[in-house]
Amino acid sequence: MARVLSTEGVAPQERLALWADLICDAYVQLDCETPDSDAPFNGNILSERLATLDLSQVTASPQRVLRTSRQISKATEDYFLVSIQTKGLGVIRQDGRQALLRPGDFALYDSTRPYELLFENDFQQFVLMLPGEMLRSQVKATEDLTAIPVSGRRGAGHLMIGMIEALWRDIAALEPASAGAVSDSVLNILVAGLRTLPAATRLPPSKLKRLYLAQARAFVREHLRDPQLSVEMIAAELRLSVSTLHRAFQGEPCSLVHWIWTERLDAVKRDLADPALRNFGVSSLAFAWGFNDAAHFSRAFKERFGVTATEFRHGLFGESAR
């Protein structure tokens, strides 16, 4: 059964604030604003889970949605999202590009970097959300493929919109045993559509790119304990643009931001396993490696290692673990 998130039944003056909470709940942390605060606002999300994919249908009033650097700095989510336009027009902006989506078109965007979604009129679209590493294992240079429209009027784009619409009609009747195969089929068609884009045929990384990678990783490891460490700081130190730095990490197993959090989590885990540091609390060890929010650290640690930091330490040192 589809999960329903809606502004229906809420006082008009409260709907936009509720909608901002609903889209954060359904996707990732986002800001939302409407071009006309006096106009009535309505929004509805129907969402379904399909194996490793989340598929939702969004129907809403005009709005502007932002994923900011501030939100990303506090997050560990790593997802790709695909907007498949079905009614009205939509605009996706990311990585210095802009994709205008007409009904049937789709485009990719990445939750680990800032993006903007713009809808000047009422609209409807499907949103497909999948783990970042899943797509990166299938397609290289994903950063060069964001915010570029894939036409739904021919080729893989046409197959994509047809499959999504058919799946949405029949998803409630889909047998659990076949969900994985259907999920794989959706991913394969998405990959086929992305591979039609010119940027997908880019040559292998150059020596210069490998140099940037090595320099960035060395700087991160040297400053990993600094809570102010950011992509912008790294780019400034290396005298590179932020976009050049992001391009250096395209095709890697994870984005630069995600890699920084991964390195920090691994470092805290090593400290938790060090008998010489048993007298230090979990939070103090986390803060020593650049985390500044205990709740955020706890969620990220459990997401990466499957247990909480306290449970991990308790498993090593028993009741005396803190």
Side-chain angles (χ1 to χ4, degrees), residues 215-244:
Q215 290 176 330
R217 285 173 172 152
F219 183 82
V220 167
R221 290 188 175 109
E222 185 179 349
H223 296 83
L224 198 57
R225 294 181 181 272
D226 185 351
Q228 302 303 316
L229 180 65
S230 66
V231 175
E232 290 76 13
M233 177 192 293
I234 301 165
E237 175 66 24
L238 301 183
R239 298 184 180 180
L240 301 173
S241 68
V242 171
S243 60
T244 297

Side-chain angles (χ1 to χ4, degrees), residues 203-271:
L203 293 174
S206 65
K207 292 182 180 179
L208 186 60
K209 174 183 169 177
R210 290 195 293 271
L211 174 63
Y212 293 159
L213 274 174
Q215 290 176 330
R217 285 173 172 152
F219 183 82
V220 167
R221 290 188 175 109
E222 185 179 349
H223 296 83
L224 198 57
R225 294 181 181 272
D226 185 351
Q228 302 303 316
L229 180 65
S230 66
V231 175
E232 290 76 13
M233 177 192 293
I234 301 165
E237 175 66 24
L238 301 183
R239 298 184 180 180
L240 301 173
S241 68
V242 171
S243 60
T244 297
L245 187 55
H246 280 311
R247 281 195 296 273
F249 275 81
Q250 66 189 23
E252 295 301 300
C254 60
S255 69
L256 175 54
V257 171
H258 189 68
W259 182 73
I260 291 172
W261 289 119
T262 297
E263 289 291 295
R264 283 175 166 162
L265 289 168
D266 289 346
V268 177
K269 184 182 179 184
R270 289 193 298 270
D271 281 0

Side-chain angles (χ1 to χ4, degrees), residues 45-99:
I45 301 172
L46 304 177
S47 64
E48 294 274 9
R49 181 73 174 173
L50 182 68
T52 55
L53 307 178
D54 287 307
L55 178 62
S56 56
Q57 184 185 60
V58 183
T59 307
S61 300
Q63 60 190 272
R64 179 174 177 248
V65 176
L66 293 172
R67 172 76 162 165
T68 66
S69 297
R70 175 184 57 81
Q71 291 160 339
I72 293 168
S73 69
K74 298 179 180 179
T76 57
E77 305 107 328
D78 180 10
Y79 294 108
F80 282 105
L81 298 99
V82 181
S83 286
I84 307 162
Q85 201 73 17
T86 54
K87 294 180 182 179
L89 300 178
V91 173
I92 297 173
R93 294 176 178 143
Q94 189 171 51
D95 298 323
R97 293 182 294 271
Q98 173 173 300

Side-chain angles (χ1 to χ4, degrees), residues 86-315:
T86 54
K87 294 180 182 179
L89 300 178
V91 173
I92 297 173
R93 294 176 178 143
Q94 189 171 51
D95 298 323
R97 293 182 294 271
Q98 173 173 300
L100 173 63
L101 300 184
R102 298 178 174 85
D105 296 344
F106 73 82
L108 178 76
Y109 45 111
D110 187 339
S111 74
T112 66
R113 297 191 304 284
Y115 63 77
E116 176 184 357
L117 310 178
L118 180 63
F119 307 95
E120 295 185 346
N121 297 288
D122 291 352
F123 71 96
Q124 185 180 80
Q125 61 178 206
F126 290 113
V127 179
L128 183 66
M129 188 164 73
L130 64 156
E133 292 183 9
M134 176 184 293
L135 185 61
R136 293 189 191 96
S137 69
Q138 300 286 326
V139 182
K140 294 186 180 297
T142 52
E143 186 179 315
D144 284 347
L145 306 181
T146 54
I148 301 177
V150 178
S151 174
R153 290 170 288 284
R154 59 185 180 276
H158 183 68
L159 292 175
M160 179 76 168
I161 186 66
M163 171 174 272
I164 292 296
E165 289 176 339
L167 175 61
W168 188 254
R169 289 193 301 268
D170 301 332
I171 196 168
L174 190 66
E175 293 292 335
S178 61
V182 174
S183 174
D184 290 343
S185 297
V186 172
L187 178 61
N188 289 338
I189 293 180
L190 170 62
V191 169
L194 294 173
R195 284 177 176 167
T196 65
L197 300 175
T201 59
R202 179 170 295 227
L203 293 174
S206 65
K207 292 182 180 179
L208 186 60
K209 174 183 169 177
R210 290 195 293 271
L211 174 63
Y212 293 159
L213 274 174
Q215 290 176 330
R217 285 173 172 152
F219 183 82
V220 167
R221 290 188 175 109
E222 185 179 349
H223 296 83
L224 198 57
R225 294 181 181 272
D226 185 351
Q228 302 303 316
L229 180 65
S230 66
V231 175
E232 290 76 13
M233 177 192 293
I234 301 165
E237 175 66 24
L238 301 183
R239 298 184 180 180
L240 301 173
S241 68
V242 171
S243 60
T244 297
L245 187 55
H246 280 311
R247 281 195 296 273
F249 275 81
Q250 66 189 23
E252 295 301 300
C254 60
S255 69
L256 175 54
V257 171
H258 189 68
W259 182 73
I260 291 172
W261 289 119
T262 297
E263 289 291 295
R264 283 175 166 162
L265 289 168
D266 289 346
V268 177
K269 184 182 179 184
R270 289 193 298 270
D271 281 0
L272 289 169
D274 187 346
L277 300 176
R278 286 176 60 182
N279 292 328
F280 290 86
V282 170
S283 293
S284 64
L285 294 178
F287 291 166
W289 283 106
F291 288 94
N292 53 21
D293 184 318
H296 166 225
F297 164 73
S298 296
R299 290 192 302 271
F301 191 96
K302 186 170 184 179
E303 182 179 331
R304 178 159 174 77
F305 300 115
V307 295
T308 67
T310 300
E311 289 169 342
F312 173 75
R313 178 177 263 185
H314 178 81

